[in-house]
Amino acid sequence: MDYLFDPRPQPSLPVRGAAARFPVGRIFCVGRNYAAHAAEMGNEVDREAPFYFTKSAHHLVGPGSHPVPPRTGDYHHEVEFVLALGRAVDPADPMASVLGYAVGLDMTRRDLQAAAKAKGRPWSTAKDVEASAVIGPLTRAEDFGALADQRLTLSVNGTLRQEGRLSEMVWSVPEVLADLATLYTLAPGDLVMTGTPSGVGPVGRGDVLEGTCEGLDPVALTLT
Ligand code: MN
């Protein structure tokens, strides 16, 4: 193939214990999937239907140092449990599509999100932000074991800010996958960020964030 200029590199994630990397296709994100976080954002939880937004796979970065993006005075952390799909979703057995899991940070320009919400506009400039999908290495599903009440945490400069259990999701992982598969033809390489527990808040240059989930490698971010 002859291109006018070099294409961007294929975004990918390392897999614990494997030499080959996981090539990332799309990044889907679930909104308001923990009741306490929905409440802190001023929303009632409903079970009418989950809702989604997306981030470009080119906004994926690994753990390390990354800049605070421009035009925000309220850059927020959201720690999330991330699904990595290895095959198309079978609605009768959605979990069979999951190749592995990771801890991720859905970094958010909250001030731009609030302005968008107020005007009924899209969230793209708040959520689909360069270096805003910070995701750690994948652990294969069979190594992680069954989804239960694993603890998900986020600390900033060593102080615990967010804490939740996977069992507290409003929409469970299989429910999210089954629903998302009615909207999109999910494919190997797709990631799903499954929402954040309560305790989100602002961070800035020099802050050191660490997201953890029992059974997974942590993800660390230093903001520059
Ligand atoms: Mn989120």
Side-chain angles (χ1 to χ4, degrees), residues 29-32 37 53 55 78-80 106-108 110 127 193-196:
C29 306
V30 184
R32 294 173 204 152
H37 171 62
F53 56 90
K55 290 178 186 263
E78 298 191 357
V79 66
E80 313 213 353
D106 164 16
M107 301 301 295
T108 303
R110 191 73 72 202
K127 289 291 196 178
M193 303 187 78
T194 58
T196 197

Side-chain angles (χ1 to χ4, degrees), residues 22-219:
F22 177 92
V24 174
R26 294 169 292 180
I27 304 177
F28 297 99
C29 306
V30 184
R32 294 173 204 152
N33 204 23
Y34 290 79
H37 171 62
E40 76 181 348
M41 298 303 293
N43 300 292
E44 279 187 35
V45 175
D46 66 62
R47 277 196 45 102
E48 274 183 26
F51 74 92
Y52 309 97
F53 56 90
T54 58
K55 290 178 186 263
S56 166
H58 295 294
H59 295 165
L60 169 70
V61 292
S65 296
H66 302 290
V68 175
R71 290 184 62 175
T72 183
D74 199 22
Y75 196 44
H76 273 213
H77 55 76
E78 298 191 357
V79 66
E80 313 213 353
F81 186 66
V82 181
L83 319 176
L85 302 190
R87 63 173 76 164
V89 172
D90 172 1
D93 186 11
M95 295 305 290
S97 67
V98 178
L99 181 142
Y101 304 108
V103 183
L105 305 178
D106 164 16
M107 301 301 295
T108 303
R109 285 192 279 219
R110 191 73 72 202
D111 38 5
L112 298 193
Q113 186 190 30
K117 282 180 180 176
K119 294 189 172 180
R121 290 178 177 168
W123 290 5
S124 302
T125 60
K127 289 291 196 178
D128 190 16
V129 175
E130 288 157 357
S132 72
V134 189
I135 299 181
L138 288 178
T139 293
R140 284 185 172 273
E142 60 265 33
D143 297 332
F144 182 79
L147 293 176
D149 63 348
Q150 286 91 347
R151 184 169 174 256
L152 186 64
T153 72
L154 182 115
S155 63
V156 179
N157 304 324
T159 301
L160 185 67
R161 293 278 185 86
Q162 288 190 265
E163 184 174 22
R165 300 270 175 184
L166 301 189
S167 53
E168 294 167 0
M169 289 185 196
V170 175
W171 298 94
S172 71
V173 167
E175 286 173 332
V176 165
L177 287 173
D179 184 70
L180 194 56
T182 66
L183 291 165
Y184 297 95
T185 304
L186 298 177
D190 289 339
L191 301 179
V192 183
M193 303 187 78
T194 58
T196 197
S198 61
V200 301
V203 282
R205 289 176 68 178
D207 284 335
V208 179
L209 290 67
E210 187 183 56
T212 74
C213 178
E214 288 174 59
L216 299 178
D217 292 327
V219 62

